[in-house]
Amino acid sequence: MMCFNHHKKNSVGICKHCGRGLCEACVSPLQESVACKDRCENHVRRLEQFVNKAVLSRYNTTFVGSMLVGLLMAVLGFFVSSSEYPSSPYDMILWIFAGLFFLNALRYLGQRNGPK
Ligand SMILES: [Zn+2]
Ligand SMILES: [Zn+2]
């Protein structure tokens, strides 16, 4: 495929918005996507921001939620273990739940930072 603006140059990418072939001079330097310079940049950037926001907010909600529940369980476990029955089975169950929720939160954090 050739560049839409420079018919003698090979395209290095295709615009995400209009699908035109673009050479190095015509490609807008956007993160992870290709857009026509000064033409489709805003469209593609908005699309990208929307996608990023949707993905990040989904992970953040899950992550924060898991952390909150984990903390709550840990606090409950602390209070139960400092009561007059330090080694009750209920105490153990609370700690196991706290651990599970923390692991869950860490897993989501790992997914966010890991390779795509
Ligand atoms: Zn375009
Ligand atoms: Zn070009």
Side-chain angles (χ1 to χ4, degrees):
M1 195 171 185
M2 294 291 154
C3 174
F4 181 81
N5 302 309
H6 310 90
H7 294 278
K8 285 174 185 170
K9 284 189 182 174
N10 275 317
S11 61
V12 294
I14 293 165
C15 174
K16 243 185 186 176
H17 182 66
C18 64
R20 283 172 179 161
L22 301 163
C23 73
E24 275 172 354
C26 301
V27 164
S28 166
L30 285 180
Q31 276 188 330
E32 293 171 27
S33 41
V34 176
C36 304
K37 207 175 200 170
D38 303 326
R39 227 188 103 89
C40 305
E41 275 173 322
N42 287 335
H43 287 284
V44 174
R45 198 176 287 141
R46 224 174 292 151
L47 183 78
E48 233 171 41
Q49 276 171 356
F50 176 75
V51 170
N52 283 345
K53 212 191 272 177
V55 169
L56 283 181
S57 64
R58 187 161 61 87
Y59 278 126
N60 277 343
T61 310
T62 320
F63 176 69
V64 171
S66 302
M67 285 299 275
L68 279 178
V69 175
L71 273 172
L72 194 72
M73 289 293 181
V75 169
L76 275 173
F78 176 77
F79 276 115
V80 170
S81 54
S82 61
S83 70
E84 45 190 310
Y85 306 108
S87 56
S88 67
Y90 182 63
D91 183 22
M92 289 292 288
I93 290 166
L94 271 181
W95 277 110
I96 289 166
F97 267 107
L100 282 176
F101 276 108
F102 270 119
L103 279 177
N104 194 32
L106 285 175
R107 198 164 57 87
Y108 277 107
L109 192 70
Q111 275 179 9
R112 251 182 79 187
N113 295 334
K116 282 172 191 169

